[in-house]
Amino acid sequence: MDKLKIVGGKELNGEVSISGAKNAALPILASTLLTDQTMTISNVPHLHDITTTMELLGRMGSDLMLDEKLNIEVTNNNINEFFAPYEMVKTMRASILVLGPLLARFGEADVSLPGGCAIGSRPVDIHISGLAAMGADITVDKGYIKAKAKRLKGAHLILEMVTVTGTENLMMAAVLADGKTTLENAAREPEVVDLAECLIAMGANIQGAGTDTIVIEGVESLHGAQHTILPDRIETGTFLVAVVMAGGKVKIKNTRPKLLDAVLSKLRAAGAQIELEDSSITVTMDLERPRAVDIHTSPFPGFPTDMQAQFTALNCIAEGNSTITETVFENRFMHVQELQRMGANIKLEGNTAICNGVAKLIAAPVMATDLRASASLVLAGLVAEGETIVDRIYHIDRGYETIEEKFRQLGAEINRMPA
Ligand code: EPU
């Protein structure tokens, strides 16, 4: 397994370009199953999770091509399997996103239940009950969700919790259903909006994406379209935090500042100077150490759970005390023990981490446990004294495109050590 070797203490300066958003690309690739015509998807990030999704689609009979500009062309006029096996779903929970499209277009889906993961139990009961309310005959048998439906019927669904992939799955199911579907308490994440925009380009009739009530009028069929994936706000946020921790001045390009309000206001409170342009953010950090900031995660437009681990790393070296409360997932603090090994003064009480900032972290061998936890260890390594080795970085490769190259370009000393 590859590792990252990081020698801490370098300021970050220069420019970095943000890739397409993983969590938009995954549902959008799944949405290509809704039409037999060719879809062209641009700005797809080069990530393990994308490769896994392409492999899953390929097994079902998808025809996938990369054109000369690295757009992905997908044609699904020859799907002969409606099956997502456990071996694939267990490596990537987002495989569940094929459930809605398969059922809507082919009337059949056999998708493994994802099971628990490093950040919590993460059930998919809302996906299942929503499809059942739309008329699917759906059972869970031997770890697989088996669903059938002649044609799904529109329904009025009040989602019990705000769920991002749940909203996406039900929205994809509803676009080909008979009649009107209303999703109340829908997720408002920008990735849900990006998916809706792609579906609308394919001929879907969707209103209200980006609010908590999405109304979908089903159509008979969808057609091919071109869609460009929106920039990754979590990758953007990760680079911003890195600069605020390490000091320096960096222009973050090809991003959408408007999607980062909650993160930017915390970074300003931590002492960063932030300048915004339409598609770039310039962050300058002159202070010796950031100021501690309290964090409380919640669904969009609240503070994103996917930025919690990175801000935990920031608070470890900040001046002052802070509390970090995780409300979206029950167990998303695996990074805390690793940060403690680097000298952080942090303890857990239920779903809150209480952090007393220390002047310095000390390099140590640490282990990545999930994607964002891994990112927080890289950030800690960038400011720690000495040489940090981050093990099991396949987690990072699932969600960050060439992270070490992008940081090296900014002046960090970070290298991949192949297994
Ligand atoms: N939940 C249920 N039942 C359901 C669905 C969700 O109880 O049927 C609960 C979950 O257990 C969790 C909460 O609802 O406590 C929210 O989970 P959600 O369904 O919104 O998460 P997700 O859709 O599985 C997506 C992202 C995650 C991100 C969360 C929250 C994708 C592919 N994944 O997951 O991204 O943390 O939303 O914003 O979009 C990451 O990129 O590192 C990552 C984990």
Side-chain angles (χ1 to χ4, degrees), residues 22-23 122-126 161 163-165 306 328-329 372:
K22 165 180 86 79
N23 289 347
R122 302 181 76 180
V124 288
D125 53 309
I126 297 169
M161 286 180 78
T163 158
V164 176
T165 50
D306 288 345
V328 178
F329 291 110
R372 309 303 170 187

Side-chain angles (χ1 to χ4, degrees), residues 197-209:
E197 281 171 6
C198 177
L199 292 168
I200 291 167
M202 294 163 76
N205 185 344
I206 302 174
Q207 266 156 15

Side-chain angles (χ1 to χ4, degrees), residues 23 93 117 119-123 126 161-165 187 189 233 295-308 324-333 351-352:
N23 289 347
R93 301 179 51 84
C117 80
I119 62 178
S121 59
R122 302 181 76 180
I126 297 169
M161 286 180 78
V162 178
T163 158
V164 176
T165 50
E189 267 64 8
R233 64 195 166 101
I295 298 292
H296 183 103
T297 66
S298 58
F300 192 85
F303 186 92
T305 171
D306 288 345
M307 285 303 301
Q308 179 260 103
I324 301 137
T325 305
E326 173 59 59
T327 72
V328 178
F329 291 110
E330 72 261 31
N331 184 30
R332 205 173 197 181
F333 277 123
N351 67 342
T352 299

Side-chain angles (χ1 to χ4, degrees), residues 2 7 16 39 48 55 60 64 67 79 92 95 99 125 179 197 238 269 290 304 313 370 400-401 404 413:
D2 288 5
V7 179
V16 64
M39 293 289 302
H48 272 196
E55 214 177 302
M60 294 179 186
L64 294 137
D67 73 12
I79 297 294
M92 193 191 64
S95 311
L99 178 63
D125 53 309
E197 281 171 6
T238 303
D370 73 75
Y400 290 90
E401 184 171 308
E404 74 279 16
E413 196 173 332

